[in-house]
């Protein structure tokens, strides 16, 4: 026989100010199965819980209803109290008479009291039908996968590895380092970017707990928190890393030069290459599609049609350790992980869609990232600022803000956050490179929210003499050797025309190429632009709605370096939080299939957002659905879709829900 | 073999007066290309460029009248004047709304369709540019295609091409054998109706366009708008007087250049009637008069 | 120059009127000035397009309607095409002109207003635009007696300026204009009836 106790909470005046708590407490005694009721000023307080435990013991209660705030607030608290009183914690129901009642019906006490009664009546009906549930535990693979080797992924990998767990770091490019490696200096301290980044990159390469897989991509993910199985595609590097010493002879001798991705088209690299001198791993890859020998093989395979390409193979000839392996093929490896950190980063907006700025066809209109490469002493111009058209040193330079940011018309309505600051940096650096230059910055708002940011912006004006003009540039066109920039000084309310030698477009941030595909592979959400979606933008910023998959850095939204590093560490802490447990407890309020009733339609497999149900063949050769307990979130979608009513949701069985509803009439 | 297609043709007011060469060259060109144009009967003014800033309903009603008569003829409606084209497209878009359609129908006194095909002649020619009979390729001519404002803007009304760097005229002019230059002023305003009330503003804007075309290496400017043509072609002497620089830049209607390529004589196309001399350029390139081999 | 203190009135009937006529959300404008910067005639305006947008946001009706801007706007639509907030600024300008007409406001750029009025008068009279008629009456009434007249003899000589108007659409266009005006009277009576 169920012996139900009802505990009604005043919550100070939060509930008692609207609901007549003493009357409700007295009334609850009349409900079927109820043997004891009491009220409490604050049920969640330690004295409140003690009094609940006391009433349970005195009245030998086996079911409990707490009429108080939302179960999201204190269900766990009262379940603990149940356990302390010797009861199965799932014999508890919460009647939410605060958020669902007193807070929303403050102007009608009588009706609010009646509604509180209804809510309690339903909870009592349900709890009478509750069954004891027992949480299960699952094991954990104590390794982490980090996707993306930019500064965020580097930080996450190092932090997890330093906590003692194995890490596999997967990087799509030949080297880790990401965008930070391309930068010359960083705001607001003007640290040399490579100088502060490369020690971390070296740590990655040398850490005994970190396995670096460069030139690789994640292509399939299955499993669940603690037990992910991941297929990683290792693209053929055509270089045997077990033999290669990174001596550099091959890339010095390679005769085929192509545009350097690292220099954003402002410089050249060889086909067999490391992207930049500090690359990690410091071993090259062959960009096979552009290799002369590859073209020769294609020509041979196509029946020797047309002009014969050179057979080349220079790298093979000069390699002192015979590390070149033209026959190397793409490989797929499968690895197991307990947690995954996604740090796929960003790419810069392509300003070619701004036809009014020349559509990418004016040679002396460049992007900020291209300017970074020019300013860098190791860059293609050796640190000299030169106009791409004629190599002359520009004297009048215009920086244009918000290119691909705050522009709904170009499909990018959001602020990219970092551009105001790097524009200030460029104004300062350009003056430092050549004191004779005059820099103009067109802006809409200068946003300097960050430590020492405003002071840094003032340096651009005070020290570098940059002239800030408030207005968005409307047109840029070539007039002789000059570029004419048309804007408005919106503070004067007058059109501005500047004849510039060089225009730098502050291109905004957008999700990296393939971000949406990675999100789909991982079954995590992404927004309309392709940025990953956090579990909660404020309180769970590095978690996703899939347990065990964490997101960090610019793949979530525009971030600067300090934020990316902080997020990398935050994601690492969350990953370590999972990996440091011996096993994971699974909530028992999940769906379960009755194999006798299941007809094998597998509609549940199709509708589940968490990929929890899967098909299985029984011994009598029937197809049935089975639910993976670790993946199920207990949302109930499968239950609603199941036509033969073969699925039941523990804690929310059909019987319990019907009892709850019937109690109303 | 010529392919024949038929269209209802709306010339617009200026094509019978200041832009007579546009009308004449359009008809001659379409004859040569096998495009049958049936001029609307008793057509009236489309309301450009004054009605839409003065009386919204009138601005929709005047072109709606022309759409009504085209739909009675049963052929798609073609315009060549960019302004008329734009006003017709605005009215066409307004027809999608049932209550507005009924209102307009009452005003023009004729039934109106819920949607109607309104085209610019450039679109018709663009569709057949691969089979255009080019008997006198415009070799050696470097044209700056100037689209002006209303041919491509507003985008959701015109629905023709990119608003900053359109290509459709460049494609058909290249199909006629000329080279086209890549330049930045394809859709910058020439000053439009400012010519009368504020001539100085118009002169400044038009001169900048002609100078940009010259700088891009063009030896002529091509347009699809009588107002642009009037400003760019008609005021070069005044530009010299006001700003001291004479652009000396021949200006053509696209129908004139393609007409030349289709073997029509420059005189029949009325190119010799331009205010700014265009004949010397054609003579230079061997494109004046009748085609030599014809 | 007199300095004036502005009293912002954000939600005015004027702003509602403009938003309704133009179909554009004026409040979205964040004053970047790309419209003014790209406007081919902004240098000649007293309030460049961005400032017109601001004035509407603040409910400054007099300033907007008295400005030369709404008449100097040539409806080239560059502002609309480039607006980062996707506001069709040219439509807002058009709406300002319509309000100006509806309210019989007096001020602004008289020459341009006159030009548009005379153009429509010509259409009313002949069914089609008669350019010589327009130019002559414009010069007479505006007082710019010799404006552009240097071009006329050349145009006539090359057969490009008709001395007599084309009159074939005259009666039909007159009917259309009469019916449009009847519609306006109907709308006015309806609005008056409500008040």
């Amino acid at each position: 026989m169920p012996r139900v106790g009802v505990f009604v909470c005043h919550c100070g005046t939060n509930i008692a100010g609207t609901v007549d708590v003493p009357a409700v407490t007295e009334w609850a005694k009349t409900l079927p199965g109820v043997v004891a009721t009491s009220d409490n000023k604050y049920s969640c307080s330690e004295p409140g819980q003690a009094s609940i435990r006391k009433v349970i013991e005195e009245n030998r209660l086996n079911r409990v209803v707490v009429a108080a705030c939302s179960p999201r607030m204190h269900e766990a608290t009262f379940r603990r109290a149940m356990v302390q009183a010797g009861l199965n914690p799932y014999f508890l129901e919460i009647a939410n008479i605060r958020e669902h009642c007193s807070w929303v019906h403050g102007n009608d006490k009588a009706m609010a009291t009646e509604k509180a009664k209804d809510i309690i009546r339903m909870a009592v009906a349900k709890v009478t039908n509750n069954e004891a549930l027992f949480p299960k535990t699952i094991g954990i693979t104590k390794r982490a996968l980090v996707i993306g080797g930019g500064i965020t992924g580097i930080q996450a990998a190092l932090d997890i590895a330093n906590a003692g767990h194995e890490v596999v770091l997967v990087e799509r490019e030949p080297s880790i380092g990401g965008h930070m490696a391309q930068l010359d200096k960083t705001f607001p301290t003007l640290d040399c970017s490579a100088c502060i980044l490369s020690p971390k990159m070296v740590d990655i390469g040398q850490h005994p707990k970190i396995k670096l897989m460069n030139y690789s991509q994640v292509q399939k993910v299955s499993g669940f928190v603690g037990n992910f199985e991941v297929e990683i595609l290792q693209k053929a590097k055509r270089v045997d890393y077990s033999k290669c010493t990174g001596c550099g002879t091959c890339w010095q001798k390679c005769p085929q030069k192509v545009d350097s991705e690292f220099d954003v088209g402002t410089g050249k690299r060889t086909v067999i290459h490391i992207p930049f001198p500090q690359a990690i791993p410091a071993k090259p890859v062959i960009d096979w599609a552009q290799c002369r020998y590859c073209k020769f093989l294609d020509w041979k395979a196509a029946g020797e049609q047309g002009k014969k390409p050179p057979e080349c193979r220079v790298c093979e000839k000069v390699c002192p350790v015979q590390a070149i392996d033209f026959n190397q093929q793409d490989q797929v490896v499968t690895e197991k992980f307990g947690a995954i950190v996604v740090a796929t980063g960003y790419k810069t907006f392509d300003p070619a869609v701004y036809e009014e700025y020349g559509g990418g066809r004016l040679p002396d209109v460049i992007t900020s990232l291209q300017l970074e490469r020019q300013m860098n002493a190791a860059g293609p111009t050796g640190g000299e600022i030169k106009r791409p058209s004629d190599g002359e040193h520009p004297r009048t330079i215009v920086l244009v803000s918000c290119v691909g940011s705050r522009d709904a018309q170009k499909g990018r309505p959001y602020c990219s956050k970092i551009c105001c600051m790097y524009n200030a940096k460029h104004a300062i650096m350009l003056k430092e490179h050549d004191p004779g230059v005059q820099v103009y910055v067109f802006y809409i708002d200068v946003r300097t929210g960050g430590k020492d940011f405003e002071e840094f912006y003032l340096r651009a004006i005070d020290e570098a003499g940059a002239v800030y003009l408030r207005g968005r540039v409307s047109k840029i066109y070539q007039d002789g050797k000059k570029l004419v920039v048309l804007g408005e000084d919106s503070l004067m309310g007058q059109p501005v025309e500047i004849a510039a030698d060089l225009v730098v477009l502050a291109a905004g941030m957008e999700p990296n190429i393939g971000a949406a595909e990675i999100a789909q592979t991982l079954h995590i959400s992404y927004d309309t632009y392709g940025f990953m979606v956090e579990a909660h933008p404020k309180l769970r910023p590095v978690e996703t709605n899939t347990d065990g998959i964490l997101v960090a850095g610019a793949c979530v939204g525009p971030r600067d370096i300090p934020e990316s590093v902080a997020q990398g560490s935050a994601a690492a802490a969350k990953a370590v939080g999972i990996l440091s447990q011996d096993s994971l407890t699974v909530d028992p309020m999940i769906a379960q299939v009755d194999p006798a009733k299941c007809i094998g339609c597998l509609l549940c497999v199709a509708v589940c957002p968490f990929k929890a149900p899967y098909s299985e063949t029984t011994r009598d050769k029937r197809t049935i659905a089975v639910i993976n307990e670790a993946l199920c979130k207990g949302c109930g979608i499968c239950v609603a879709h199941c036509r033969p009513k073969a699925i039941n949701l523990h804690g929310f069985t059909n019987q319990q829900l019907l009892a709850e509803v019937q109690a109303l009439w | 073999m010529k392919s024949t297609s038929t269209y209802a043709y709306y010339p617009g007011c200026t094509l019978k007066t200041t832009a007579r060469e546009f009308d004449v060259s359009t008809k001659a060109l379409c004859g040569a290309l096998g495009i049958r144009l049936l001029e609307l009967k008793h057509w009236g003014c489309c309301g450009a460029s004054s009605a839409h800033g003065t009386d919204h309903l009138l601005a929709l009603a005047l072109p709606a009248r022309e759409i009504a008569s085209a739909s009675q003829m049963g052929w798609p409606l073609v315009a060549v004047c960019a302004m008329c084209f734009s006003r017709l497209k605005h009215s066409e878009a307004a027809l999608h709304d049932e209550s507005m359609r009924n209102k307009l129908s009452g005003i023009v006194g004729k039934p109106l369709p819920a949607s109607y095909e309104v085209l610019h002649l450039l679109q018709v020619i663009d569709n057949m540019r691969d089979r255009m009979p080019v008997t006198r390729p415009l070799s050696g001519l470097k044209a700056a295609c100037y689209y002006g404002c209303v041919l491509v803007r507003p985008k959701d009304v015109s629905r023709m091409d990119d608003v900053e760097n359109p290509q459709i005229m460049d494609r058909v002019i290249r199909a006629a054998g000329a080279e086209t230059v890549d330049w930045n002023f394809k859709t910058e305003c020439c000053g439009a109706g400012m010519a009368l009330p504020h001539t100085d503003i118009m002169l400044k804007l038009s001169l900048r366009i002609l100078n940009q075309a010259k700088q891009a290496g063009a030896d002529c400017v091509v347009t699809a708008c009588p107002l642009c043509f009037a400003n760019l072609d008609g005021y070069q002497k005044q530009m010299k007087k006001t700003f001291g620089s004479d652009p000396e830049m021949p200006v053509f209607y696209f129908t004139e250049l393609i007409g030349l390529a289709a073997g029509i004589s420059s005189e029949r196309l009325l190119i010799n009637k331009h205010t700014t001399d265009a004949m010397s350029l054609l003579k230079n390139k061997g494109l004046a008069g009748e085609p030599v081999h014809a | 120059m007199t300095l004036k203190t502005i009293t912002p009135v954000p939600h005015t009937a004027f702003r509602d009127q403009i938003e309704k006529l133009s179909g554009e959300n004026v409040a979205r404008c964040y004053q970047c000035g790309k419209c003014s910067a790209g406007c081919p005639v902004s240098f000649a305006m007293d309030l460049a397009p961005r400032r017109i947008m601001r004035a509407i946001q603040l409910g400054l009706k007099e300033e907007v309607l008295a400005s030369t801007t709404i008449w100097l706007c040539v409806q080239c639509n560059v502002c609309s095409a480039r607006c980062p907030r996707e506001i069709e600024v040219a439509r807002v300008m058009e709406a300002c002109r319509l309000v100006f007409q509806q309210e019989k406001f007096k001020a602004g750029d008289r020459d341009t207003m006159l030009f548009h009025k005379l153009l429509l008068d010509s259409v009313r009279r002949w069914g089609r635009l008669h350019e010589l008629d327009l130019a002559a009456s414009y010069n007479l009434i505006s007082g710019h007696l010799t404006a552009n007249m240097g071009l006329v003899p050349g145009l006539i000589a090359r057969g490009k300026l008709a001395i007599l108007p084309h009159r074939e659409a005259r009666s039909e266009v007159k009917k259309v204009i009469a019916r449009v005006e009847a519609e306006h009277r109907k709308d006015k009576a309806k609005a008056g009836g409500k008040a």
Side-chain angles (χ1 to χ4, degrees):
Chain A
M1 269 306 281
R3 295 174 62 80
V4 184
V6 177
F7 300 91
V8 188
C9 184
H10 291 250
C11 195
T13 56
N14 273 305
I15 295 170
T18 308
V19 172
D20 186 347
V21 172
V24 170
T25 310
E26 200 48 38
W27 163 87
K29 285 182 180 146
T30 64
L31 291 169
V34 173
V35 295
T37 69
S38 83
D39 59 337
N40 251 313
K41 196 96 181 144
Y42 291 104
S43 305
C44 58
S45 66
E46 187 41 48
Q49 292 183 53
S51 97
I52 291 176
R53 286 198 298 268
K54 191 162 162 259
V55 175
I56 291 173
E57 279 155 21
E58 281 173 4
N59 296 281
R60 290 174 290 114
L61 300 180
N62 54 20
R63 299 285 193 281
V64 169
V65 169
V66 178
C69 56
S70 161
R72 287 194 70 108
M73 295 294 299
H74 282 301
E75 189 174 54
T77 311
F78 297 120
R79 277 191 184 155
R80 273 198 300 276
M82 298 276 286
V83 173
Q84 284 165 1
L87 290 180
N88 183 293
Y90 296 91
F91 283 139
L92 169 77
E93 282 300 321
I94 303 285
N96 181 356
I97 59 167
R98 192 177 76 171
E99 285 85 344
H100 285 182
C101 186
S102 67
W103 276 2
V104 287
H105 301 299
N107 50 6
D108 192 340
K109 289 189 175 187
M111 287 305 284
T113 302
E114 286 311 302
K115 183 172 176 180
K117 288 180 183 173
D118 281 344
I119 294 171
I120 292 168
R121 198 202 319 265
M122 289 167 76
V124 169
K126 188 183 175 200
V127 83
T128 318
N129 288 285
N130 276 17
E131 50 194 7
L133 298 175
F134 305 96
K136 292 192 176 159
T137 57
I138 48 172
I140 288 175
T141 307
K142 298 196 166 218
R143 301 173 80 217
L145 168 67
V146 176
I147 307 172
I151 183 59
T152 310
I154 288 173
Q155 185 67 37
L158 287 174
D159 285 358
I160 298 169
N162 287 338
H165 302 287
E166 272 181 47
V167 178
V168 172
L169 175 59
V170 171
E171 168 58 50
R172 180 167 61 187
E173 303 301 323
S175 169
I176 57 168
H179 279 104
M180 189 174 167
Q182 292 174 287
L183 306 182
D184 181 40
K185 299 278 167 68
T186 57
F187 64 77
T189 47
L190 295 184
D191 285 303
C192 155
S193 193
C195 311
I196 56 176
L197 175 66
S198 33
K200 281 184 184 284
M201 291 170 57
V202 171
D203 285 352
I204 292 278
Q206 294 178 345
H207 204 294
K209 292 270 184 191
I210 296 176
K211 177 170 152 193
L212 173 58
M213 293 173 75
N214 65 324
Y215 223 40
S216 300
Q217 268 170 282
V218 168
Q219 61 174 32
K220 198 176 165 201
V221 176
S222 58
F224 47 90
V225 56
N227 299 276
F228 292 108
E229 206 169 281
V230 180
E231 280 180 17
I232 302 165
L233 169 75
Q234 288 184 295
K235 288 175 278 186
K237 305 176 187 100
R238 320 264 163 182
V239 174
D240 184 343
Y241 275 23
S242 66
K243 292 181 186 162
C244 175
T245 59
C247 71
T249 314
C250 56
W251 68 75
Q252 282 152 18
K253 301 287 184 198
C254 174
Q256 182 72 18
K257 304 271 192 298
V258 296
D259 277 346
S260 155
E261 297 85 356
F262 186 77
D263 288 332
V264 211
T266 62
K268 298 281 181 193
R269 63 160 170 84
T270 49
V271 161
I272 185 165
H273 70 293
I274 58 169
F276 54 101
Q278 302 93 330
I280 298 287
K283 295 176 182 180
V285 302
I286 297 179
D287 180 358
W288 190 234
Q290 309 211 59
C291 175
R292 287 182 180 180
Y293 184 52
C294 167
K295 291 191 172 128
F296 170 80
L297 292 179
D298 285 350
W299 170 81
K300 253 185 116 174
E304 311 198 354
Q305 300 283 315
K307 194 171 166 259
K308 180 188 164 193
E311 205 181 322
C312 195
R313 302 179 77 154
V314 166
C315 48
E316 193 183 35
K317 284 168 208 146
V318 300
C319 179
V321 292
Q322 285 81 46
I324 306 297
D325 177 4
F326 289 120
N327 295 322
Q328 205 181 69
Q329 296 299 315
D330 290 358
Q331 257 191 331
V332 176
V333 295
T334 304
E335 300 253 3
K336 291 191 168 184
F337 301 101
I340 300 175
V341 176
V342 185
T344 48
Y346 73 99
K347 75 177 188 61
T348 51
F349 179 84
D350 180 2
V353 300
Y354 280 81
E355 282 290 349
E356 61 268 43
Y357 298 168
R361 294 184 302 279
L362 298 175
D364 296 331
V365 177
I366 64 172
T367 67
S368 302
L369 204 52
Q370 288 172 325
L371 181 66
E372 292 278 354
R373 294 314 303 147
Q374 282 215 357
M375 291 199 299
N376 192 277
T381 56
E384 263 188 274
I385 313 298
K386 289 177 173 179
R387 283 158 55 104
S389 64
D390 56 9
E392 278 182 27
H393 291 189
R395 310 302 283 175
T396 304
I397 302 172
V398 174
L399 311 183
V400 180
S401 309
C402 297
V403 178
S405 301
R406 305 183 71 190
D407 195 340
Q409 208 251 330
K410 307 287 192 238
R412 291 284 176 267
Y414 57 83
C415 169
S416 290
K417 199 173 184 178
I418 60 165
C419 322
C420 286
M421 289 307 295
Y422 75 59
N423 268 343
K425 176 183 77 180
H426 289 162
I428 294 167
M429 294 308 300
L430 284 167
K431 194 76 175 177
E432 211 173 289
H433 277 252
D434 179 355
V437 302
Q438 177 59 53
V439 176
Y440 297 91
V441 185
F442 278 96
Y443 72 98
I444 305 172
D445 297 298
V446 177
R447 296 182 166 176
T448 59
K451 191 177 172 182
D452 297 332
F453 283 13
E454 177 71 10
E455 293 85 338
F456 188 71
Y457 157 54
L458 290 178
R459 268 180 75 185
I461 297 171
D462 293 345
E463 293 173 23
V467 173
Y468 275 70
L469 298 156
R470 194 201 172 277
R472 193 186 263 278
V473 169
S474 181
K475 193 172 179 78
I476 301 166
Y477 64 93
Q478 192 83 43
D479 192 18
K481 289 187 78 178
K482 294 279 187 179
L483 291 163
V484 180
V485 182
L486 300 182
E488 191 203 15
D489 185 321
S490 62
L491 302 177
M492 280 302 289
Q494 279 172 321
V496 180
E497 205 172 301
I498 296 175
D501 300 310
L502 182 73
V503 175
V504 185
L505 304 180
M509 285 173 126
E510 57 185 25
N512 219 334
I513 300 159
E517 289 76 8
I518 277 280
Q520 285 164 9
T521 306
L522 292 159
H523 310 302
I524 59 174
S525 330
Y526 54 98
D527 66 17
T528 45
Y529 312 108
F531 286 120
M532 310 294 174
V533 174
E534 324 87 320
H536 190 284
K538 290 186 179 68
L539 302 178
R540 297 174 68 196
V542 296
E543 290 162 87
T544 65
N545 281 325
T546 304
D547 287 346
I549 299 186
L550 308 158
V551 288
C555 70
V556 188
R559 306 262 187 270
D560 63 10
I561 294 169
E563 284 175 321
S564 298
V565 171
Q567 285 219 318
S569 285
K574 289 285 170 192
V576 169
I578 296 167
L579 301 182
S580 57
Q581 296 175 55
D582 290 324
S583 61
L584 291 174
T585 305
V586 181
D587 191 326
M589 293 170 90
I590 54 172
Q592 192 179 28
V593 181
D594 180 347
K597 286 188 190 164
C598 179
I599 56 169
C601 72
L602 302 182
L603 194 55
C604 49
V605 176
V607 299
C608 177
F610 308 101
K611 311 276 177 238
Y614 57 95
S615 72
E616 214 175 67
T617 310
T618 58
R619 262 176 292 178
D620 54 341
K621 305 280 180 248
R622 282 190 310 125
T623 298
I624 57 159
V626 182
I627 287 168
N628 183 324
E629 295 173 342
L631 288 180
C632 178
K633 299 274 180 197
C635 72
I637 289 180
C638 57
V639 183
H641 279 81
C642 184
R643 278 172 226 175
K645 295 188 168 54
I647 311 180
N648 225 341
L649 186 59
H650 291 301
F652 295 91
T653 61
N654 290 339
Q655 204 187 356
Q656 287 169 312
L657 296 180
L658 284 173
E660 213 175 349
V661 175
Q662 279 162 357
L664 272 178
W665 284 281
Chain B
M1 233 195 51
K2 283 180 186 174
S3 61
T4 307
S5 46
T6 307
Y7 298 91
Y9 171 52
Y10 175 76
C13 305
T14 54
L15 268 81
K16 296 297 171 185
T17 58
T18 43
R20 207 156 64 87
E21 53 272 69
F22 202 6
D23 185 43
V24 169
S25 58
T26 295
K27 286 174 173 162
L29 170 65
C30 288
L33 298 185
I35 299 169
R36 193 158 67 116
L37 294 184
L38 303 173
E39 191 165 321
L40 293 175
K41 296 226 160 50
H42 306 301
W43 56 266
C45 178
C46 71
S49 51
S50 296
H52 57 92
T54 325
D55 187 330
H56 190 62
L57 190 59
L58 183 63
L60 294 176
L62 290 172
R65 180 178 166 261
E66 311 305 334
I67 293 175
S69 41
S71 79
Q72 279 181 339
M73 291 167 71
W75 301 111
L77 180 55
V78 157
V80 286
C81 166
M83 301 280 266
C84 301
F85 168 72
S86 178
R87 294 327 306 172
L88 289 166
K89 290 295 271 187
H90 272 94
S91 287
E92 199 271 330
L95 297 181
H96 303 327
D97 177 58
E98 198 185 339
S99 70
M100 182 50 94
R101 181 168 73 244
N102 293 338
K103 196 176 203 177
L104 289 172
S105 177
I107 290 170
V108 304
K110 285 176 191 167
L112 278 166
S115 70
Y116 203 72
E117 189 159 24
V118 177
L119 297 168
H120 191 273
L121 185 62
L122 272 174
Q123 293 170 300
V124 177
I125 297 178
D126 185 40
N127 278 333
M128 57 172 293
R129 65 176 193 278
D130 298 334
R131 42 200 165 84
M132 208 157 69
V134 176
T135 57
R136 173 166 57 179
L138 308 174
S139 326
L141 208 59
K142 285 183 87 176
C145 290
Y146 174 65
Y147 296 73
C149 306
V150 292
L151 196 60
V152 290
R153 283 190 299 255
K155 192 175 190 166
D156 58 335
V157 173
S158 156
R159 282 175 283 153
M160 189 191 280
D161 209 335
D162 187 82
V163 293
E164 299 283 351
N165 187 18
Q167 294 296 331
I168 182 168
M169 198 193 302
D170 291 70
R171 280 198 300 269
V172 301
I173 294 295
R174 279 199 299 270
E179 215 181 302
T180 62
V181 300
D182 181 25
W183 65 314
N184 268 337
F185 275 64
K186 284 181 174 180
T187 62
E188 289 293 317
C189 179
C190 70
M194 285 289 136
L196 215 42
H198 296 282
T199 318
D200 50 330
I201 296 178
M202 180 279 290
L203 289 177
K204 186 183 151 161
L205 298 175
S206 286
L207 178 62
R208 199 173 57 169
I209 289 164
L210 294 172
N211 282 340
Q212 278 289 318
K214 186 168 276 180
Q215 216 179 87
D219 43 31
C220 63
V221 169
V222 196
T223 162
C225 173
L227 197 48
C228 301
F229 184 90
N231 289 344
L232 296 175
D233 170 74
Y235 286 85
Q236 296 196 11
K237 288 279 166 302
Q238 258 177 278
M239 290 174 198
K240 189 184 177 187
K241 225 193 275 172
T242 315
F243 299 102
S245 90
D246 189 346
E248 292 182 65
M249 174 66 80
V251 182
F252 294 99
Y253 289 111
F254 73 95
T255 46
E256 295 176 332
L257 280 191
I258 305 171
L260 285 174
I264 306 164
S265 82
S266 48
E267 285 68 26
R268 221 186 120 203
L269 294 164
L270 300 186
I271 295 175
N272 53 339
K273 302 281 185 191
H274 290 189
T275 305
T276 300
D277 171 39
M279 291 304 290
S280 310
L281 173 70
L282 295 186
K283 278 175 199 145
N284 257 333
K285 307 282 177 188
L287 297 167
E290 297 284 345
V292 184
H293 52 83
Chain C
M1 201 176 106
T2 49
L3 286 172
K4 203 180 125 188
T5 306
I6 294 172
T7 310
V9 190
H11 294 287
T12 55
F14 174 58
R15 191 174 118 187
D16 291 348
Q17 211 175 351
I18 295 291
E19 294 198 333
K20 203 171 153 228
L21 280 168
S22 64
E24 300 299 316
N25 181 355
V26 177
R28 283 187 63 82
C29 171
Y30 66 169
Q31 294 285 299
C32 72
K34 197 173 185 181
C35 49
S36 295
C39 175
V41 283
S42 65
F43 67 90
M45 293 169 168
D46 50 5
L47 293 178
R50 176 188 58 78
R51 296 179 69 189
I52 291 284
M53 298 297 288
R54 187 68 186 148
I56 299 171
Q57 285 178 340
L58 297 178
L60 305 176
K61 180 176 178 178
E62 297 282 316
E63 282 81 348
V64 172
L65 295 187
S67 72
T68 57
T69 310
I70 61 177
W71 297 102
L72 286 173
C73 168
V74 289
Q75 292 286 316
C76 74
N77 280 296
V78 165
C79 47
S80 307
R82 292 182 189 159
C83 175
R85 286 282 165 98
E86 298 183 300
I87 303 168
E88 300 255 2
V89 184
R91 282 198 185 140
V92 174
M93 295 297 162
E94 202 178 283
C96 291
R97 284 194 205 181
L98 294 174
V99 172
F100 184 101
Q101 316 271 346
Q102 283 169 11
E103 313 219 337
K104 304 209 183 320
F105 201 83
K106 304 250 179 293
D109 177 26
R110 287 192 44 238
D111 289 351
T112 315
M113 271 184 271
L114 181 65
F115 170 81
H116 288 301
K117 183 185 168 298
L118 294 175
L119 192 150
L120 285 179
D121 283 352
S122 176
V123 173
R124 215 170 257 135
R125 208 172 300 135
W126 309 113
R128 285 185 199 166
L129 168 63
H130 182 40
E131 285 153 314
L132 194 59
D133 168 33
L134 169 65
S137 46
Y138 172 78
N139 286 10
L140 262 175
I141 301 174
S142 69
H144 308 308
L145 286 178
T146 55
N148 292 289
M149 278 298 148
L151 296 173
V152 171
L155 286 170
I156 295 178
R158 285 193 302 276
K160 293 173 68 173
L161 201 56
I163 303 193
L164 292 176
H166 296 267
R167 307 168 61 152
E168 51 181 274
R170 197 177 166 193
S171 65
E172 280 241 21
V173 169
K174 268 194 172 161
K175 267 187 234 165
V176 169
I177 293 174
R179 290 195 201 113
V180 166
E181 277 161 5
E183 284 283 340
H184 289 325
R185 279 195 299 276
K186 242 194 315 190
D187 288 346
K188 216 178 217 171
K190 229 189 274 171
K194 261 183 224 156

